[in-house]
Amino acid sequence: MPRRRSPSPSSSTAPRNRTPQPVRVRRRSFGDFVKAFLAFVALVALLVGVPFALAVTAGWPLPDTFEPMEWLKQDISVQTFLSILTFVVWLAWAQFTACVLVEMKAALSGVGVPGRVPGAGPSQLLARQLVAAVLLVGATAASFTPGIGQLGQGLEGNQRPAAAAAQQTPGFFAQQQEQAAGTAAALAEQASHAETAASSGARQQGDTKFYRIQPPEGRHHDSLWEIAERHLGDGRRYKEIFELNKDRTQPDGSKLSEASLIRPGWIMEMPGDARGGDLVEMPDEAPEVSPEVRQQIRDYDRTGDHAQGGGGSGAAQVSVPAQRPAPEPAPAPANDDAGHRQHAAPAQDSSFGLPEALLAAPLLAAGLLGALGHRRRQALWQSAFGGIGGRRGMEPPTPTGDAQDVQDALLVGADPEGVRLLDRSLRGLAASLAAESRPLPTVYAAWLSSGDLHLQLAQPSGKPPAPWQPGQDETFWTLAKDDAVRYEDVDTAAPYPGLVSLGTMDDSRLLLNLESVPGIVSLSGGEADRAAVFASVAAELATNGWSDRMTITLVGFGEELTPLAPSRLRHLDGIEALIETMEAETRQRRGALGAAGHDSVLTGRTGPARHTRWAPHLVLLAAEPSAEDAVTLAELAADASRLGIGYLVGTGSGDLPGAAWEMEITGEGKLLAPLLGLELDAQLLPAAQRRAVVELFTDADPGRGPDGPGDTPPFLVDISEQGRPAVYARLVGPYEIIGLETPDGERSALLHEALALLLLHREGVHPRVLSSALWPRGVTDDVREALIERLRAWLGTDPDGTPRLGTDSTGRLTLAKSVVSDLDVLRSLYHEATQGRGVDSRAVRGRLLTDALVLVRGPLLADRPEGRYRWLTHEIVDAQLPLLVADTGLALCEFHLEKNRAEKAIEALNAALRTAPADERLWNELLRATHALDDPERLTALAADLVGRAGARGLPPRTEALLDELLPTWRDTVAAAG
């Protein structure tokens, strides 16, 4: 991210400067002195000139005597209004004076956290700016405002830094300073022991150098990174400075425990090769340094390891999640079931034109795929039950072009098993802690690595409940993949719904808990690159499987993303509306927490007191706010982590007031946070793929009207005697194939499964989708190609020599028309009966509907072996088939009732109910058909059967109303029979 750079230090080979140097702040320019003089004049005018002018011109506004009744009897004159106005001006002057005194006290005391004067808002801000300008040219400014604290971590040696960390808000947010200081130890910086030993060994008496933390300059605050950059030549050497100074008492009594939580006025011991004019060498005298500061440096020098006779540190340290030893290579490549899909394809393997961003985002792809399937099922159900215009369409639109590529990428990249394990693991942890009457710990991040789940806690929280294990230190809780699979579904609220994937580093995937960050998370970089990150975060939060309820507010982007999850995503046009909304919600949440007696949303999210109001609200602001709006957002975010509110804000400059975590996205797709030790391969959703994803959802929207599910099947077969297929597969019920020899050996099941997938997708199947479905743990190119060739040889060719397994222009695998399934025939029969020849011929309609119902032998692939055909969870055929069978049964029932053949109608309905037992339409028609028999006992028995099936939920309202019409005494009769 962009940062100020100082001139490079002199070469390490240059002679050492043994002349004592003073502690100096940045050299002041003439403009600084002009600003300070003008600020001083303004303060004098406001503090002295205003009351003098009031005393001379208006005098004291209050009357000499206190006689309220006499005042009320007096006439209201111009003088009365002038007196009231004078009194208001006196009050404003008194308030401003109080603000100046508060700011001066904070500046001169070195605390840097001024108190708030009630109702002073703009007055205190003006006072702060004037006082800061006056003190900018003096030494006392060093303690005016603490630097932006950051919670960072790193790792040296053979491991790269991999822990997410936080950065604290500016010092004038007192409440946030106190809150973040209490949890800062969880993300302390770990530096190389070798470097520490080397730097400690180089220390010699009379050779030690010190640096005093500089005061802020505008929005810029001093940091260890920039100190190392100026005086050591490399910002990454900030770890050496941290190791030399951590846990040593500073002049104000506090200690450095986090590499990024530093304050003006603190003293830092520097490595021996440090260079620069604002360093002080001790114990040499520095005449230009005040005696007080010299004594502080002497006292601080005595607290070092050399003075204590010891080297180690007792501070808690955080490192990258510990990796388990890699398992022995298996014949088949492995799949990381906890969020990182590992394909063992060779380097030359291509994506066949599929979007790489979605292939590399398994949790995002799984969420989108699950939400898309739910949307398509919803459209089918609403269509079938007449929710929209009484349509009876069964076929959702088939995607084409970019939308088809994106759908294939979702099918290939999705890791639903990883999502399931993550969700169960987190809910299981919450349930275990609730059973032990323990609160949920604050979690800053989660790492998915080699199938294991690592939670990075804000602070040590004791021993984790089994089967969780402590990590490499007290701020990591770890769950092995083998233990995670033992978790079952539990009825508890999602504890950490704000977790969202940011990217990967090595073999680890980072999920940042946006709602726990103590302040704003800023993202800098190019506009298009930032938009790709924002879209990825929004899409995953809107569709992930480890959350319950949440609100995601999009500002400055993403209005087109709202179809992904209309109940979660909300778009606001501008930052003014956002600030107004968040100010109200922040007040409401603070009040709700106080009324409920909770200190944070975590204590109210699980257990007996859980409530939906503790759902997170995550704000994604893509456009850079103005300076004034940024300060307002920082004030709102100061207490946000306690309230379950998170802010991700974009910035073009990389400099955002109140930013707790600062990140940068590069044009090469790297997500960088140097002060946090992060360099990730970012998870992105670029513009083209974003549009294609939205197209998939809008096409599946049940509210699209006539463009929703259609009536014409994607593949119609010749149902005449001349249309007998060469290969006929029976999928509705037990799986059977007619016209082919059963393959020998273990490959038979794999070939049958591949053929079933192709039969359910007559539009074509991408080779990578096929291999991902058959081998969800990954497969190499040669194995996939061998299967395709084996499948092509098994299916054979048509009489004209055309292979029955072909490839279309996009490279997708397609079946010839001579390969047919009973589901294709069922769809074609129903279509011909209701929209073809059966429309004009009653006899033809009855015969076609009867033939269609005969094909139904049970659910789809009823005898499929356990562990196979898992790809069916991504399909909507499980919703299509019951609806199609129900529609067929209803049409045949209507056909028979037209001729008063109630028994035939009941027989057709019962046949359909065997495949669609939950379809309310079938039961209602069965009641009508039974009523047509004029047999009250039989109708009563059917009503009792329905009541028994409904259980505690009770009958649907429409069924109850129908029974009231057909059998008014059904309640008493059923109760007596029961």
Side-chain angles (χ1 to χ4, degrees), residues 60 62-66:
W60 184 248
L62 298 180
D64 297 331
T65 60
F66 184 75

Side-chain angles (χ1 to χ4, degrees), residues 410-426:
L410 294 178
L411 289 167
V412 174
D415 184 12
E417 181 66 12
V419 172
R420 185 182 68 86
L421 288 178
L422 177 62
D423 181 45
R424 287 186 173 182
S425 300
L426 295 176

Side-chain angles (χ1 to χ4, degrees), residues 67 69-77 80:
E67 298 178 354
M69 296 304 298
E70 292 297 327
W71 299 346
L72 295 175
K73 294 178 182 180
Q74 293 179 359
D75 294 335
I76 298 176
S77 62
T80 304

Side-chain angles (χ1 to χ4, degrees), residues 106 327 330 338 387 400 414 421 423 441 492 502 518 529 621 623 678 831 844 896 914 956:
T400 58
L421 288 178
D423 181 45
T492 189
L502 290 184
D529 299 320
L621 173 59
L678 291 177
H831 179 266
V844 171
H896 288 304
R914 286 193 286 271

Side-chain angles (χ1 to χ4, degrees), residues 384-385 392 830 853 856 881-894 897 905-931 942 945-946 949 956 958-959 962 966:
F385 284 87
R392 292 292 185 266
Y830 178 75
L853 210 53
V856 181
L881 179 60
L883 291 175
L884 177 59
V885 172
D887 278 355
T888 304
L890 291 171
L892 189 56
C893 170
E894 181 183 6
L897 287 180
I906 292 173
E907 182 181 342
L909 292 170
N910 283 327
L913 280 168
R914 286 193 286 271
T915 300
D919 198 309
E920 182 188 356
R921 299 172 300 160
L922 292 174
W923 289 107
N924 291 346
E925 287 304 314
L926 186 59
L927 286 171
R928 293 188 179 95
T930 305
H931 179 264
L942 178 59
D945 183 31
L946 279 174
R949 290 173 181 270
R958 285 181 293 189
T959 303
L962 179 61
L966 302 179

Side-chain angles (χ1 to χ4, degrees), residues 42-215:
L43 282 173
V44 171
L46 291 172
L47 296 179
V48 180
V50 170
F52 179 78
L54 287 173
V56 171
T57 59
W60 184 248
L62 298 180
D64 297 331
T65 60
F66 184 75
E67 298 178 354
M69 296 304 298
E70 292 297 327
W71 299 346
L72 295 175
K73 294 178 182 180
Q74 293 179 359
D75 294 335
I76 298 176
S77 62
V78 174
Q79 185 60 39
T80 304
F81 284 106
L82 290 176
S83 297
I84 293 174
L85 180 61
T86 302
F87 180 70
V88 171
V89 176
W90 274 106
L91 281 181
W93 171 83
Q95 184 188 59
F96 179 76
T97 303
C99 293
V100 172
L101 294 176
V102 168
E103 295 296 330
M104 289 292 295
K105 178 180 180 298
L108 297 176
S109 65
V111 175
V113 184
R116 284 186 178 275
V117 177
S123 297
Q124 189 165 6
L125 180 61
L126 175 61
R128 179 179 304 144
Q129 293 172 344
L130 292 175
V131 172
V134 171
L135 297 182
L136 186 62
V137 296
T140 56
S143 59
F144 178 63
T145 306
I148 295 180
Q150 299 122 354
L151 309 176
Q153 79 134 53
L155 185 66
E156 295 282 333
N158 295 328
Q159 290 179 312
R160 297 170 58 191
Q167 186 180 16
Q168 193 164 328
T169 53
F172 49 83
F173 303 126
Q175 185 176 12
Q176 173 61 11
Q177 283 285 67
E178 296 169 359
Q179 178 186 0
T183 61
L187 297 173
E189 199 53 64
Q190 179 179 3
S192 167
H193 294 293
E195 287 186 357
T196 304
S199 60
S200 299
R203 264 174 134 265
Q204 297 179 3
Q205 184 68 19
D207 190 27
T208 308
K209 299 178 182 179
F210 295 89
Y211 176 86
R212 199 168 188 229
I213 303 300
Q214 301 290 338

